[in-house]
Amino acid sequence: MKPRHAFGAVLWLWLLLPNAAAAVEIHVSPHGADDGDGSPERPVQTLVAAQRMARRSAGREAVRVMIHAGTYCLREPLVLTGEDSGTESAPVTYTSADAEPAILSGARELELAWAPYRDGIMQAPTPAELTMDQLFVNQRQEPMARYPNFDPKIPIYNGYAADAVSKERTAMWSHPAGGFIHAMHRLRWGGFHYLITGKAESGELAYEGGWQNNRQMGMHSEYRFVENIFEELDAPGEWYHDARQHVLYYLPRPDLDLAAARFEAVQLRSLIEFRGTPEQPVRFVTLSGLTLNRVARTFMETREPLLRSDWTIYRGGAAFLTGAVDCAIQDCNFDEAGGNAVFISGYNRRITIRGCLISDSGASGICFVGDPGAVRYALFEYGQRDTYDRIDLTSGPRTENYPAECLVEDCLIRRIGRVEKQTAGIHISMARRITVRHCSVYETPRAGINISEGVWGGHVIEHCDVFDTVLETSDHGSFNSWGRDRYWGLDSAPADQLARIARLDAIETTEIRHSRWRCDHGWDIDLDDGSSYYHIHHNLLLHGGLKFREGFLRIAENNVIVDNSFHPHVWYPNSEDTFRRNIIFAPYRPIRVTKPWGREMDFNLLHQLQASTPSPAIVLQEASGHDEHSISGDASFIDPSSGDYRVTPDSPARTLGFENFPMDHFGVVKPTLRSIARTPKLPRGETSAATLKGAAGRWAGAEVQELVGEEFSAFGVGREDGGLYVRVVPPDSPAGRAGLRAGDLMMKIDGKPIRELTQPPSDGRVHELEVVRDQQPLSIRLPAR
């Protein structure tokens, strides 16, 4: 078997060899002609012409397609097939010539004859065949006519309004067909998009869509906006294209010289596609040093559901790979892709993405997504369940139609999810042995790195720097995973068999190590529903803490969790989880976990600033039922103000077995990327966190507690919904006699939300209590008091 990612190493060395120029060279220039011979003196003009010439030598000699400086506006994607393949000793490379700025663009330049319309708006006829998804004016992307107007200072959608589709608003629109409604999920678990198809005489809008999220709960009542509506063209820079009359309307910015301005309309959904098959894959082809930009938005095509996750996906991107083996994307820039930047779909092996910059994509940065047909027991909807006697108990994948042995290394991914919100910097689904190394990921609406289910594991996330995530959504983390595989929610399954069944899908352990994480609006690392077989070690978590929800055999060890703690949520009694030799800043935050917890909870240090003498961590022992050797004490960090959370030789953490690890090996290392990459905001200093607890007390005889922040996710509700968590219910209490149970979340009484710890009414009447139990709503009648 070849070493993992061997081609990436071979490619890296080959590109640096002095005799690399001995390859067959084919030159491409915007000033060339396709009847040229591809020499430096007579270059061809298009990539398609260069591809035809490259095929003459591909597989027999090394080929380098040298793309000279300029912008190449493609009319259709460049599609590479098995015929374009190289070999390990004679690869094919499409590269910028001498590091010149070679730009592949999905936009089309427009020749426009402007005339005044009204109110400062200008108009120009457009070609009849023109479709317009985005408009760039002098390299600047301009917003479609929208309500509310674009405001870069507002993080969610750059502006939102509850009345975006109110009858009062829509009454002003004469022909809204072709407009779009964008709205957050009701619980902010991603977003929805709709195409307006018309308006009835009553004023009601007709629209279609809403398939972009696999957890259908409807639009958020406030976080929504509309665009591509002519009557909303009222802000400088906004535009509207009347596709029926073939007219472009534009309200110029005050400083724009309209006559000299360059206008570009985005046309293509992808620029380069590797389209092979398992039998005849695209092999040993590399893209190097290119810029791919201005690719159309694809939010209305994002409709294929993934396995019981919150996601639907569109299998496409600026670069798209399927049926590729030992191929690479090296030192490329992906800029202003309207959808995904890179999508690796189905059967792919040993794909390397190295040294790339991905900025301002409408959807995700890099996606690895296999075929559901490769999964032995695939369910798609969150609520789908089956019984133990009906499932396939064979281990591993059914087919080879999935990405495996792939590498993402030294990439900077920032400002993704500009349009779609159920997105990630790097997304992994139905794949195996994907390594993500030395990547910086930030400014994302949801997760920085997301693993969609447990199949088939073996992934490695290491030396990454992930922060400024979950900026527009909620209930998530800088790293997020699910494991809603065949064992999860399986009816009638023997409890002692669940761990074995989970291992049928998560056949190899996933490691998260030597990375830095920060999430200010969720968890730093969020192992959500069913996530199993993870080893999380030597990580620095700066704000949101670590969460484990339902799953098996997770090991968290030797991590530093600053200003937060460990959050065990809804564990199986026989989870066999381990939490040891970690430094935490606050007591554990359990929800619906039965003591004792897991296999091992011990040798942890609860950091107490300036504690004079270490002492047993009683608060941890009482919570977990373990932690016999855990202690409270001052961790004695070396320099926390600069982010160095190594401990001194005399630290009590060292006596517990804690090992120091480097605090300066996070994120990108390529000099050009490192010079522009940001780093996360550091905690203010060497502080001990607050207890992170909401108010606790009694309610109708039951022990209850207010929840804090993202803890509401354990019940499948949003924090704005509020609620009181029921911890203990004595059977003879009024709450117990009414049917309230430990683990319930009380949401409303007589239709009014319960947002804080107050006592139930004692007015002699029967009251209706609305409760969430096992993520399902139910009503309880509270007897008169």
Side-chain angles (χ1 to χ4, degrees):
M1 180 178 175
K2 283 188 176 183
R4 195 170 181 181
H5 313 306
F7 173 63
V10 171
L11 166 70
W12 183 269
L13 292 172
W14 183 84
L15 289 173
L16 298 177
L17 288 176
N19 63 351
V24 172
E25 288 192 353
I26 301 164
H27 291 260
V28 187
S29 168
H31 310 295
D34 282 358
D35 59 359
D37 60 9
S39 64
E41 297 76 23
R42 297 183 61 213
V44 295
Q45 187 180 52
T46 67
L47 295 181
V48 172
Q51 178 190 29
R52 286 196 298 265
M53 298 179 69
R55 283 181 173 177
R56 300 171 190 168
S57 302
R60 296 181 300 278
E61 299 177 89
V63 178
R64 290 171 65 82
V65 176
M66 312 292 288
I67 306 171
H68 290 267
T71 298
Y72 299 80
C73 295
L74 306 187
R75 290 304 178 97
E76 59 185 19
L78 176 68
V79 179
L80 304 171
T81 70
E83 295 181 71
D84 298 290
S85 293
T87 67
E88 184 169 359
S89 60
V92 174
T93 304
Y94 286 75
T95 182
S96 61
D98 301 320
E100 298 173 10
I103 301 170
L104 312 185
S105 174
R108 169 183 175 181
E109 186 172 0
L110 302 178
E111 299 293 336
L112 299 170
W114 292 104
Y117 175 63
R118 69 181 186 205
D119 302 324
I121 298 172
M122 303 297 289
Q123 61 179 343
T126 59
E129 77 282 3
L130 180 70
T131 59
M132 289 191 65
D133 172 75
Q134 299 166 78
L135 180 68
F136 286 82
V137 181
N138 290 345
Q139 308 298 319
R140 174 176 182 163
Q141 184 176 358
E142 299 285 39
M144 279 183 172
R146 55 171 279 170
Y147 174 78
N149 290 331
F150 184 91
D151 185 343
K153 297 178 182 179
I154 299 176
I156 297 178
Y157 285 136
N158 297 123
Y160 56 85
D163 67 339
V165 290
S166 67
K167 284 189 176 181
E168 294 77 13
R169 195 87 208 170
T170 61
M172 300 185 295
W173 305 342
S174 56
H175 298 289
F180 299 108
I181 304 169
H182 305 271
M184 285 289 177
H185 183 283
R186 187 178 70 81
L187 295 180
R188 294 173 64 185
W189 296 343
F192 297 112
H193 309 271
Y194 304 85
L195 171 67
I196 299 172
T197 58
K199 185 172 73 167
E201 291 184 4
S202 64
E204 293 288 337
L205 286 182
Y207 50 86
E208 62 183 20
W211 44 65
Q212 297 86 359
N213 195 292
N214 204 26
R215 299 286 298 276
Q216 293 289 316
M217 295 182 180
M219 289 189 245
H220 197 282
S221 61
E222 183 178 5
Y223 298 130
R224 51 176 72 177
F225 79 100
V226 294
E227 66 173 353
N228 206 33
I229 304 292
F230 178 70
E231 286 80 4
E232 302 298 349
L233 205 171
D234 59 1
E238 286 189 340
W239 61 275
Y240 173 80
H241 183 231
D242 187 334
R244 296 172 304 144
Q245 301 297 323
H246 313 300
V247 177
L248 174 63
Y249 296 90
Y250 177 61
L251 184 55
R253 297 180 185 274
D255 57 349
L256 182 71
D257 181 353
L258 195 62
R262 176 187 170 105
F263 285 77
E264 297 172 273
V266 176
Q267 305 286 284
L268 297 184
R269 293 180 179 178
S270 66
L271 298 176
I272 297 184
E273 301 179 1
F274 290 55
R275 289 194 175 272
T277 66
E279 298 75 25
Q280 191 178 7
V282 184
R283 296 175 59 87
F284 293 101
V285 176
T286 295
L287 307 181
S288 177
L290 305 176
T291 293
L292 289 75
N293 73 4
R294 300 190 185 158
V295 181
R297 302 183 302 175
T298 53
F299 57 86
M300 290 305 295
E301 307 304 319
T302 302
R303 59 194 306 164
E304 179 189 336
L306 297 182
L307 306 185
R308 289 203 286 188
S309 81
D310 298 1
W311 282 62
T312 65
I313 52 106
Y314 166 68
R315 290 183 186 267
F320 175 79
L321 293 83
T322 187
V325 175
D326 293 314
C327 293
I329 300 175
Q330 176 88 30
D331 297 324
C332 290
N333 292 346
F334 293 83
D335 187 28
E336 298 167 336
N340 305 306
V342 181
F343 201 102
I344 298 162
S345 176
Y347 178 80
N348 290 273
R349 295 293 183 272
R350 297 180 299 279
I351 305 301
T352 297
I353 304 172
R354 179 185 282 118
C356 293
L357 170 63
I358 297 175
S359 298
D360 298 289
S361 63
S364 292
I366 302 171
C367 296
F368 296 89
V369 184
D371 173 21
V375 181
R376 289 199 174 272
Y377 205 79
L379 298 176
F380 291 92
E381 295 294 333
Y382 175 86
Q384 280 187 290
R385 300 290 186 271
D386 215 324
T387 58
Y388 178 66
D389 60 337
R390 291 181 48 174
I391 68 168
D392 181 350
L393 291 175
T394 308
S395 178
R398 184 190 302 274
T399 74
E400 296 294 306
N401 197 12
Y402 57 88
E405 304 283 349
C406 298
L407 171 66
V408 181
E409 184 173 44
D410 205 5
C411 291
L412 171 54
I413 304 172
R414 61 186 183 182
R415 297 194 302 271
I416 61 96
R418 300 298 85 191
V419 180
E420 303 178 49
K421 304 307 173 185
Q422 189 60 273
T423 51
I426 300 170
H427 177 61
I428 301 170
S429 175
M430 297 174 284
R432 188 174 184 181
R433 296 182 181 174
I434 308 300
T435 295
V436 180
R437 178 185 300 144
H438 275 298
C439 290
S440 295
V441 185
Y442 53 85
E443 292 182 60
T444 71
R446 205 143 172 74
I449 300 175
N450 187 81
I451 297 180
S452 192
E453 67 288 298
V455 294
W456 290 275
H459 313 305
V460 176
I461 315 294
E462 61 184 1
H463 300 294
C464 290
D465 204 8
V466 187
F467 57 96
D468 282 357
T469 62
V470 197
L471 295 179
E472 299 181 63
T473 61
S474 69
D475 188 7
H476 220 48
S478 285
F479 174 87
N480 178 81
S481 65
W482 294 289
R484 299 167 185 158
D485 306 317
R486 72 183 103 172
Y487 89 91
W488 186 76
L490 186 63
D491 291 338
S492 67
D496 61 354
Q497 293 296 307
L498 285 179
R500 179 182 68 85
I501 303 169
R503 196 71 189 231
L504 300 179
D505 292 311
I507 55 180
E508 294 184 274
T509 299
T510 290
E511 286 200 60
I512 302 175
R513 63 196 186 197
H514 293 281
S515 294
R516 180 167 61 186
W517 308 87
R518 176 165 185 150
C519 185
D520 288 28
H521 309 281
W523 290 277
D524 295 336
I525 297 178
D526 179 4
L527 268 58
D528 208 355
D529 298 350
S531 301
S532 297
Y533 299 98
Y534 278 78
H535 188 194
I536 300 175
H537 60 98
H538 297 83
N539 294 279
L540 175 61
L541 284 66
L542 289 177
H543 185 82
L546 171 64
K547 171 188 153 190
F548 284 4
R549 187 178 168 124
E550 306 158 316
F552 291 98
L553 207 64
R554 283 83 53 99
I555 299 174
E557 58 185 342
N558 217 89
N559 302 288
V560 180
I561 303 177
V562 180
D563 283 353
N564 212 300
S565 188
F566 180 48
H567 297 246
H569 285 192
V570 198
W571 279 16
Y572 297 104
N574 58 339
S575 72
E576 301 187 46
D577 286 319
T578 296
F579 186 82
R580 65 190 174 207
R581 298 187 179 92
N582 300 284
I583 300 175
I584 60 177
F585 274 51
Y588 302 138
R589 293 295 296 144
I591 293 182
R592 297 169 59 193
V593 185
T594 302
K595 291 188 293 187
W597 301 349
R599 172 189 290 177
E600 181 183 358
M601 303 280 297
D602 209 359
F603 300 101
N604 299 300
L605 175 66
L606 177 59
H607 173 56
Q608 299 291 324
L609 183 63
Q610 297 180 351
S612 57
T613 305
S615 60
I618 303 298
V619 66
L620 303 186
Q621 296 170 1
E622 291 177 345
S624 69
H626 289 304
D627 282 293
E628 293 87 351
H629 303 94
S630 297
I631 59 178
S632 296
D634 192 326
S636 299
F637 295 115
I638 290 177
D639 189 6
S641 62
S642 65
D644 187 349
Y645 283 90
R646 292 176 299 163
V647 300
T648 61
D650 59 348
S651 166
R654 302 297 289 268
T655 67
L656 297 172
F658 179 84
E659 301 174 347
N660 279 329
F661 55 95
M663 296 283 172
D664 57 356
H665 290 183
F666 307 124
V668 292
V669 296
K670 180 180 173 182
T672 55
L673 295 180
R674 196 166 183 85
S675 68
I676 62 173
R678 293 202 296 110
T679 55
K681 176 183 176 183
L682 296 174
R684 292 184 178 178
E686 189 177 2
T687 61
S688 297
T691 60
L692 305 176
K693 287 186 178 181
R698 289 191 172 272
W699 194 94
E703 294 182 20
V704 299
Q705 183 172 322
E706 296 176 356
L707 299 182
V708 175
E710 303 297 330
E711 292 180 339
F712 288 99
S713 78
F715 304 89
V717 302
R719 62 175 129 180
E720 58 263 41
D721 295 330
L724 283 180
Y725 167 45
V726 181
R727 298 177 58 191
V728 179
V729 184
D732 59 348
S733 66
R737 291 194 296 271
L740 207 62
R741 297 181 189 173
D744 287 346
L745 184 70
M746 299 187 296
M747 301 294 296
K748 296 180 180 179
I749 189 164
D750 297 331
K752 297 181 179 179
I754 303 173
R755 300 194 183 280
E756 56 186 16
L757 180 54
T758 57
Q759 295 306 307
S762 56
D763 53 9
R765 295 191 299 113
V766 174
H767 295 274
E768 196 78 15
L769 184 64
E770 296 180 35
V771 170
V772 170
R773 178 178 296 166
D774 296 328
Q775 297 204 12
Q776 299 298 318
L778 64 112
S779 294
I780 292 176
R781 292 175 65 82
L782 197 65
R785 297 179 61 216

